Amino acid sequence: MPSEVHMPKKVVIVGGGFAGLKAARALGNNEDVSVTLIDRRNYHLFQPLLYQVATAGLSPAEISGPIRGILSKYKNVSVFLDNLENVDLTNKKIQVQDRSLEYDYLILACGAKHSYFAHPEWEENAPGLKTLEQATEIRRRLLMAFERAEKETDPEKQKQQLTFVIVGAGPTGVELAGTIGEISRHTLTKDFRHIDPSRTRVILIEAGPRILAAFHPDLSRKAAADLEDLGVQIWTNTRVTDVKSDSVVLGDEVIKAATILWAAGVQPSSINKTLGVPLDRAGRVIIEKDLSLKEHPEVFVLGDQACYLTDKGQALPGLASVAMQQGTHAANQILREIEGKPRLEFKYLDKGQMATIGRRKAIAQISNLKFSGFFAWILWLFIHVYYLIGFKNKVFVIWQWAYAYFTFKRGARLIVDKEWRSKPKPPVS
Amino acid sequence: MPSEVHMPKKVVIVGGGFAGLKAARALGNNEDVSVTLIDRRNYHLFQPLLYQVATAGLSPAEISGPIRGILSKYKNVSVFLDNLENVDLTNKKIQVQDRSLEYDYLILACGAKHSYFAHPEWEENAPGLKTLEQATEIRRRLLMAFERAEKETDPEKQKQQLTFVIVGAGPTGVELAGTIGEISRHTLTKDFRHIDPSRTRVILIEAGPRILAAFHPDLSRKAAADLEDLGVQIWTNTRVTDVKSDSVVLGDEVIKAATILWAAGVQPSSINKTLGVPLDRAGRVIIEKDLSLKEHPEVFVLGDQACYLTDKGQALPGLASVAMQQGTHAANQILREIEGKPRLEFKYLDKGQMATIGRRKAIAQISNLKFSGFFAWILWLFIHVYYLIGFKNKVFVIWQWAYAYFTFKRGARLIVDKEWRSKPKPPVS
């Protein structure tokens, strides 16, 4: 007879993003652990393709999968739709809406949201791109701008409707700008009768000296040239001082624009400030070499919520590949500890980073290798489709892309209202 | 030289549903007419499949296509996103938001919306299913009910979360009830860990003596038996007297239910009351044999907005096939008149009607022919996919169906918020 009753360790995972899902999978169907994953969404979102939803190329369901469907086969994993309200590190429990959950191990992977640099009032005028709701709102604004331009008879007002400003030239900003540039050049001419395409402007604003600063300067230059071929105007070294409903203010300059999008700066989950642990300047939790908290080795913090310093003293970037590797690593350390083995240091295997520019160009950088142009785009395509979780979505997305590529059409051009209730009757005179 | 300058006739079409689109296509690229189509949506909605969006089987973009994309190849057709505010029959012009449009011919095809029988306050508690926004709201409520049930430890409260009441047993009500019955039997057992499926109830309420009253009684009976096989309880001869946020009142009975859906009764566009023309009891415009208004032969009213009386004195039903045939007929009468030919009477070619019950049963009735069971379902599938406008959507929908059929999974299980802005920070104690 066994000397003690086998009780699985309680592991609570907060967040069903790349890190949380990878951790749940690594712990799945292991009888040493009982896993509870909570998320305030019922779906996992493939964020690298969110800009495709914002630009009407893909539907929300095509880049997301229900978390409980993805984890369905792991019988020791329960999934709850819940909002994390508090973490009690001392008593090893977390508070969600109306109850608390105890843990032996806690994995925090709550991700990040947009930061407006102390100007939250700008959000209304310039939505960011972190959630599906924001993506469909951006899609609505983009498509509405073209619809209004079609009806506009005043040339100046039409020009304003057809001016799109994107603030921030990281991968998201570049991908939005490139796709909008392409839409306005190709879709416009075929589907609209009264728009003068020469009035369309896409302006990409960047505070730093070059776009895609995380990439090698050679690749930044190539990407800038490719964007300009798509009609995108790039304004570097330019700081936004105000965002109004119909214009962007840049010091003493003003750009009149009906559509303004925000792709500058992120901040980690606001739970960080409540933990009472050291944070870096960006507000991320500084974690140990094994990804845990110094004073609480039973708590791991992963992905965009955390700051992991490499041996060179640099923080790992906010990439899906970092989050995925960290999720697997944290889960494995829990299992090792249960088996009585010592923990191991996390080693990040650089899978590189990439960004697309329009429908047939990209840049990619993997360690010292640099790629650009059509080949990099093909590489980008395969890597993204490969990582899209769930077989069905992969086939769909390839099909959508092939279709959009050969026809220049975009499949998800819906202007969907925020209100589902019946409209009040129109004022009939 | 021609004796007069060729000026195309101005045709204005209001509504991009089945009737409006068919009319636009029949007039497309005909140099005798200049066509303007207005709709308050930028997309055509394939309403017969809307229940699939509401039950997470299909995505909004898969059952809809951008109107201007569909009509892109017709160079004489302009599309505007606009709301009809007034029709001035005397001066032959319509008023939209901030301008008016003159017409030589007007085609009104504004459709219908749900009717709550003088109880508009019920809408909040029991959404209807006429728009994409309503469909995603219903999807959100359905999925949220299961999520809340998973967390619920009180058996009575869990039962209430798992009780779904559908009011109205026409095709939409039957299709919703059957699909929800199926989801709760199959999806539940695999993806949830804490739900007791025996607590799930789907109740279909009908004021009349039988479900699917527009069909032959034999088919109603078959459909009722198939629904009961899926666990749906059918309450006929039952009248709803109140709809509360957590219950349905039926005289002196009360059903506690977290999810209540409305599929009873429609009313035509509210523009009808302003036209000053004869309406039937349901509020539909009574039209002539050529589909025009008696006093205004240059105005056609089509589809769900109109009442066309057959030689037997019966009104044609609100079916897509009626609307499509009427759209083509109205357009052809305009072209005939321009060519100096007399108008023809509209003759409805009965294409039958059908309804599905769950994922492998249906009923169909075409003239005197009756079909039921799996064969009728296959028939239903092919007819609906065939009519889905746009090649791409067809392939998609077939794929989605095949996938859902063989795996019991549903592809679009997203609970999407109505609010896109950042959430206020959670209250951290």
Side-chain angles (χ1 to χ4, degrees), chain A residues 81 124 396 399 417 421, chain B residues 124 133 151 396 399 421:
Chain A
L81 186 72
E124 180 65 39
F396 264 30
W399 174 262
D417 257 338
R421 294 168 196 84
Chain B
E124 179 65 39
E133 287 83 0
K151 288 192 278 187
F396 264 29
W399 174 262
R421 294 168 196 82

Side-chain angles (χ1 to χ4, degrees), chain B residues 130-397:
Chain B
K130 278 280 171 187
T131 67
L132 279 182
E133 287 83 0
Q134 288 165 347
T136 48
E137 173 66 14
I138 289 177
R139 183 179 74 182
R140 196 181 67 76
R141 291 186 185 206
L142 276 182
L143 298 175
M144 280 303 292
F146 290 122
E147 294 292 338
R148 281 191 297 256
E150 175 80 345
K151 288 192 278 187
E152 189 55 67
T153 48
D154 178 326
E156 272 310 301
K157 287 184 183 162
Q158 195 184 58
K159 186 177 170 185
Q160 184 174 353
Q161 288 300 339
L162 293 174
T163 300
F164 304 90
V165 174
I166 296 103
V167 183
T172 301
V174 164
E175 281 161 348
L176 283 174
T179 314
I180 297 170
E182 219 167 54
I183 290 174
S184 60
R185 294 208 151 188
H186 296 287
T187 311
L188 281 189
T189 48
K190 280 194 280 185
D191 281 5
F192 293 81
R193 304 274 177 266
H194 309 277
I195 286 181
D196 179 353
S198 70
R199 295 214 172 85
T200 306
R201 294 183 304 172
V202 182
I203 301 171
L204 179 62
I205 292 176
E206 168 59 42
R210 62 184 175 100
I211 68 167
L212 297 167
F215 289 79
H216 190 281
D218 289 352
L219 290 177
S220 285
R221 258 192 301 278
K222 283 221 169 75
D226 289 342
L227 277 177
E228 279 158 3
D229 284 348
L230 293 173
V232 176
Q233 302 169 19
I234 300 170
W235 296 18
T236 47
N237 293 309
T238 303
R239 199 167 286 277
V240 170
T241 52
D242 200 4
V243 180
K244 299 185 176 174
S245 68
D246 62 348
S247 60
V248 179
V249 183
L250 313 156
D252 46 12
E253 278 186 289
V254 176
I255 310 174
K256 285 280 201 185
T259 311
I260 307 162
L261 307 178
W262 190 260
V266 292
Q267 59 185 335
S269 167
S270 49
I271 202 79
N272 280 4
K273 280 177 270 178
T274 71
L275 296 176
V277 299
L279 307 180
D280 74 352
R281 276 201 317 174
R284 296 177 297 187
V285 173
I286 298 170
I287 49 177
E288 297 297 295
K289 288 290 176 195
D290 65 350
L291 310 179
S292 71
L293 293 181
K294 191 166 193 173
E295 307 288 329
H296 294 280
E298 73 281 7
V299 178
F300 296 85
V301 187
L302 312 179
D304 289 354
Q305 198 185 344
C307 169
Y308 180 87
L309 293 169
T310 63
D311 295 338
K312 294 176 188 164
Q314 286 178 317
L316 288 179
L319 294 174
S321 58
V322 173
M324 289 165 88
Q325 292 178 36
Q326 289 185 338
T328 305
H329 183 84
N332 287 340
Q333 301 327 299
I334 292 172
L335 296 178
R336 285 179 68 91
E337 196 157 274
I338 293 172
E339 292 166 11
K341 296 178 187 161
R343 292 191 181 189
L344 301 176
E345 272 191 22
F346 174 66
K347 294 284 178 202
Y348 175 56
L349 174 64
D350 184 7
K351 297 250 177 113
Q353 51 182 336
M354 31 194 12
T356 43
I357 301 106
R359 65 192 264 282
R360 51 186 307 164
K361 296 274 175 74
I363 59 168
Q365 179 176 326
I366 302 159
S367 301
N368 295 322
L369 297 171
K370 292 176 285 182
F371 306 94
S372 61
F374 187 64
F375 174 74
W377 184 80
I378 292 289
L379 195 69
W380 176 89
L381 184 66
F382 276 91
I383 289 177
H384 279 75
V385 169
Y386 179 81
Y387 276 112
L388 246 192
I389 288 169
F391 158 72
K392 179 185 67 87
N393 283 352
K394 281 180 206 174
V395 178
F396 264 29
V397 170

Side-chain angles (χ1 to χ4, degrees), chain A residues 60-73:
Chain A
E62 282 153 12
I63 62 157
S64 41
I67 294 171
R68 60 174 74 258
I70 295 169
L71 299 176
S72 176
K73 64 182 164 188

